[in-house]
Amino acid sequence: MSKKVLILAGDGIGPEIVAEAVKVLKALQSAGAIDVVLEEGLVGGAAYDVWGDPLPAETLTAAQSADAVLLGAVGGPKWEPLPIAKRPEKGLLGLRKGLGLFANLRPALLYPQLIAASTLKPEVVSGLDLLIVRELTGDIYFGQPRGIETLPSGERRGINTMVYTESEIERILRVAFDLARRRRRRLCSVDKANVLECTELWREVANRLAGEYPEVELTHMYVDNAAMQLVRAPKQFDVMVTGNLFGDILSDCAAMLTGSIGMLPSASLNERGQGMYEPIHGSAPDIAGRGIANPIATILSVAMMLRYSLDAPQVAARIETAVSRVLDQGLRTPDIMTPGMRQVGTAEIGDAIVAALAEDV
Ligand code: NAD
């Protein structure tokens, strides 16, 4: 049966990079490698401009009934003066909440062809292949009480609450254990159990679950050390799992190890295996409309979609190989340009990936 994919291009470079990802999906469809029905919808500033709402009900409904959502990016200066509830980013948060996307998977993989684009020494990052699993719907971002209050003395106090239930911790840890089992079987759980009770519980649950995954080696690391180890010796990690706040920070740090934000895909999954797939970068208003954005993160997000929501891991691997071939050919968008390579635009990269896929058949 056909799988339904909702395409939400969004704002800024979103439509440019998503167009290339759609080219890849359509090429695979024509070759009979996948059976998908593509639907389009509006989100973010693009939706606000038409409907006065960054997440119209019809977009959320279409997302809920899709097997997977492919998102470009949302936001831009045009919508910054709007009240928070109407801003494009609300569309993204509404989709995460509306779909129950609790597990955020962010792989950081360094293509050997791009080693010169990393800010770290080649020997530190060469061969890097790690996966950060971040809990996405709990923690201090959602905990109550929160807010800014005025004390009787007149002084103001800001409050946020770090909170996780045992079942929320168990749910994300199981995702991470399962992923580690299919990779190099090493899982590092990141917490701050020496000072935060909430993460003391996290560690306790991780240790309890470890008994059910004897093939996975579980280790624990405090978040401050994890940040340091990520830039000191990142290759020690296979899968890292952590809460929403720590994951937010560590995953951006890990992203930069690979050279360009334009290379990194992500997946956000719910309990039913539905997922939203998007590049980790934003709408890059500074380069929007110029045809120079790197579409590879979005195309690799399609590969993640095929692997995690559409049950087509071999086709996912073919996309990843095609990306690697195009990098071998020396084609580069400006963000990953290094001396001796050939600078091209967004569409040329997409076309070259489609051509590499065709050769692969
Ligand atoms: P950004 O990720 O959009 O851009 C940061 C820098 O990286 C810019 O210099 C940009 O040109 C470059 N860049 C990003 N993607 C690129 C690509 N594919 N190819 C080449 N270069 C690329 O972050 P920002 O500038 O902080 O935010 C811009 C807007 O995006 C804001 O409105 C922000 O709220 C929004 N945003 C959206 C998402 C999302 O939709 N998931 C995520 C982050 C930021």
Side-chain angles (χ1 to χ4, degrees):
M1 208 176 75
S2 303
K3 303 273 190 174
K4 187 173 124 186
V5 177
L6 179 68
I7 309 284
L8 300 174
D11 310 317
I13 60 169
E16 299 166 50
I17 52 179
V18 165
E20 301 313 310
V22 168
K23 264 185 203 168
V24 168
L25 277 167
K26 287 188 172 162
L28 290 167
Q29 173 94 321
S30 309
I34 54 172
D35 182 8
V36 290
V37 175
L38 306 183
E39 260 183 37
E40 284 182 27
L42 292 175
V43 73
Y48 176 82
D49 287 348
V50 176
W51 301 104
D53 183 349
L55 182 59
E58 75 177 45
T59 299
L60 182 58
T61 308
Q64 282 163 337
S65 70
D67 294 289
V69 177
L70 178 68
L71 182 94
V74 296
K78 177 179 173 191
W79 301 284
E80 270 164 23
L82 291 173
I84 283 188
K86 295 286 180 192
R87 291 217 193 122
E89 291 75 7
K90 271 283 167 195
L92 187 61
L93 295 178
L95 279 168
R96 285 179 184 164
K97 187 159 182 278
L99 295 172
L101 303 171
F102 72 95
N104 184 220
L105 277 47
R106 285 184 169 205
L109 185 134
L110 180 75
Y111 281 87
Q113 302 92 326
L114 296 185
I115 203 153
S118 174
T119 48
L120 272 81
K121 289 184 193 146
E123 62 270 28
V124 175
V125 287
S126 103
L128 179 79
D129 177 6
L130 68 87
L131 174 65
I132 296 195
V133 179
R134 166 189 170 194
E135 203 288 331
L136 205 56
T137 52
D139 205 348
I140 197 163
Y141 292 177
F142 296 92
Q144 295 289 344
R146 64 185 296 156
I148 300 174
E149 62 183 24
T150 304
L151 298 171
S153 66
E155 190 185 10
R156 290 193 305 157
R157 179 164 72 173
I159 303 164
N160 289 95
T161 307
M162 178 175 267
V163 53
Y164 267 123
T165 63
E166 201 164 357
S167 58
E168 284 173 325
I169 300 170
E170 179 165 338
R171 183 172 71 164
I172 189 71
L173 278 161
R174 283 196 185 280
V175 170
F177 271 111
D178 279 332
L179 289 164
R181 188 152 63 174
R182 287 184 262 150
R183 290 174 46 105
R184 301 192 301 279
R185 294 192 280 280
R186 281 187 288 124
L187 178 62
C188 177
S189 171
V190 176
D191 61 38
K192 191 74 184 168
N194 49 343
V195 283
L196 297 171
E197 286 84 352
C198 178
T199 71
E200 196 185 333
L201 178 65
W202 179 285
R203 189 175 283 217
E204 215 182 286
V205 175
N207 283 332
R208 169 166 64 74
L209 291 181
E212 294 181 39
Y213 301 86
E215 66 279 44
V216 177
E217 181 203 340
L218 173 71
T219 55
H220 303 279
M221 197 177 272
Y222 296 137
V223 63
D224 40 352
N225 187 24
M228 184 177 78
Q229 295 299 333
L230 266 178
V231 285
R232 193 188 74 86
K235 283 187 279 181
Q236 69 185 282
F237 299 112
D238 177 17
V239 180
M240 298 175 91
V241 60
T242 189
N244 206 345
L245 173 65
F246 299 159
D248 192 356
I249 299 163
L250 292 181
S251 61
D252 268 29
C253 179
M256 266 329 287
L257 302 173
T258 68
S260 171
I261 200 167
M263 292 296 298
L264 293 171
S266 77
S268 305
L269 307 174
N270 68 17
E271 279 175 292
R272 297 180 301 284
Q274 272 177 310
M276 185 158 82
Y277 298 83
E278 52 179 320
I280 70 155
H281 58 73
S283 60
D286 53 335
I287 57 167
R290 292 169 50 198
I292 58 167
N294 188 345
I296 294 180
T298 317
I299 291 170
L300 291 173
S301 300
V302 170
M304 289 191 87
M305 175 193 290
L306 293 170
R307 184 169 285 123
Y308 294 114
S309 288
L310 303 186
D311 198 22
Q314 288 94 344
V315 190
R318 281 180 56 197
I319 295 179
E320 287 152 357
T321 305
V323 167
S324 191
R325 287 221 192 118
V326 168
L327 295 174
D328 282 339
Q329 291 161 18
L331 302 187
R332 303 281 188 274
T333 41
D335 57 306
I336 50 171
M337 183 62 190
T338 46
M341 300 296 130
R342 186 154 76 83
Q343 189 166 314
V344 295
T346 313
E348 286 95 326
I349 292 280
D351 291 340
I353 292 171
V354 167
L357 274 170
E359 280 165 25
D360 183 40
V361 178

